[in-house]
Amino acid sequence: GAGVSQSPSNKVTEKGKDVELRCDPISGHTALYWYRQSLGQGLEFLIYFQGNSAPDKSGLPSDRFSAERTGGSVSTLTIQRTQQEDSAVYLCASSLDTWIDGYTFGSGTRLTVV
Amino acid sequence: SQQGEEDPQALSIQEGENATMNCSYKTSINNLQWYRQNSGRGLVHLILIRSNEREKHSGRLRVTLDTSKKSSSLLITASRAADTASYFCAFPSGTYKYIFGTGTRLKVLA
């Protein structure tokens, strides 16, 4: 596609429920990143995928968070048993090279846990 | 924290004035990037400066990098109301991921 697409754009969920956030990167971009941004804060790195290599999961805040990337394209970030502190904007980005071209970000998913 | 620190946290100026925001970081880097974020959603890549460059221009943007001081600045000249946004610096951590600064919220008053 022309840009990075994220869905849903907004999600309200009850505490304890599981949620899935989707990211469709730019076609041909081999690198895909998930970041989280709490209200008024900077971006917190969550996870990185590059081609068929094992992902860098070092930023995932707990074992309730997981992500996968199928076929080197679409990625899903899953949060199990959501907590109120999970409320944030979840941003996905992709890039052709790991850094030369910079990231292209999606518009994010705003998650609200009530 | 690995996060870059940006200064000021918030800046309010009149249209036509210049806006300067600064970013400091702690590690050795080979490049630094600046991004803009409107309305708390997706970020837009503005400019990348490499460690062997001291200054780079793009339209009304001027970025400097001082690797000895581990700092960078973003200057927006002749600001417009449409420049109102949050601005973030980002620098590499390791070989493939970027750490983002805390951001500067810029408000340009018409």
Side-chain angles (χ1 to χ4, degrees):
Chain A
V4 177
S5 178
Q6 290 190 246
S7 61
S9 56
N10 289 283
K11 176 73 177 178
V12 180
T13 189
E14 291 181 353
K15 179 181 172 181
K17 301 282 190 184
D18 298 352
V19 294
E20 283 190 355
L21 312 179
R22 176 188 168 105
C23 172
D24 198 345
I26 291 174
S27 179
H29 278 196
T30 58
L32 185 148
Y33 306 78
W34 284 97
Y35 285 81
R36 176 170 75 173
Q37 185 178 30
S38 300
L39 187 63
Q41 301 297 309
L43 277 70
E44 175 189 4
F45 169 78
L46 297 178
I47 189 168
Y48 160 77
F49 295 91
Q50 172 61 285
N52 295 318
S53 302
D56 176 351
K57 305 179 182 180
S58 60
L60 294 178
S62 77
D63 59 8
R64 296 186 296 105
F65 288 72
S66 63
E68 63 177 20
R69 188 179 184 191
T70 54
S73 181
V74 172
S75 177
T76 302
L77 177 68
T78 301
I79 309 173
Q80 295 178 309
R81 305 181 302 281
T82 51
Q83 304 294 313
Q84 287 186 329
E85 60 264 28
D86 299 334
S87 296
V89 175
Y90 290 80
L91 292 160
C92 176
S94 68
S95 69
L96 260 176
D97 189 279
T98 51
W99 59 269
I100 286 289
D101 298 313
Y103 296 174
T104 301
F105 278 87
S107 297
T109 294
R110 184 178 302 278
L111 175 68
T112 304
V113 181
V114 298
Chain B
S1 166
Q2 282 189 298
Q3 270 194 330
E5 296 294 328
E6 294 193 50
D7 155 61
Q9 290 187 343
L11 179 60
S12 186
I13 60 174
Q14 295 291 326
E15 207 167 29
E17 293 181 340
N18 295 343
T20 300
M21 51 206 89
N22 305 292
C23 168
S24 62
Y25 55 92
K26 296 178 182 178
T27 60
S28 294
I29 60 172
N30 56 19
N31 75 87
L32 184 143
Q33 303 187 30
W34 285 89
Y35 287 80
R36 184 178 80 185
Q37 183 181 39
N38 290 87
S39 305
R41 300 307 287 254
L43 282 75
V44 174
H45 180 252
L46 294 176
I47 197 166
L48 178 151
I49 186 166
R50 291 178 170 78
S51 58
N52 61 354
E53 299 173 308
R54 293 188 60 84
E55 187 171 310
K56 197 164 183 178
H57 296 253
S58 177
R60 293 183 296 111
L61 305 180
R62 180 171 77 97
V63 169
T64 63
L65 180 63
D66 187 334
T67 54
S68 66
K69 294 181 180 177
K70 290 186 167 53
S71 69
S72 175
S73 67
L74 171 67
L75 168 68
I76 304 173
T77 60
S79 64
R80 305 166 182 168
D83 296 327
T84 294
S86 291
Y87 292 83
F88 293 87
C89 65
F91 50 92
S93 173
T95 57
Y96 51 74
K97 67 176 182 272
Y98 278 83
I99 301 296
F100 285 77
T102 50
T104 293
R105 294 187 308 280
L106 172 66
K107 187 169 186 177
V108 181
L109 304 170

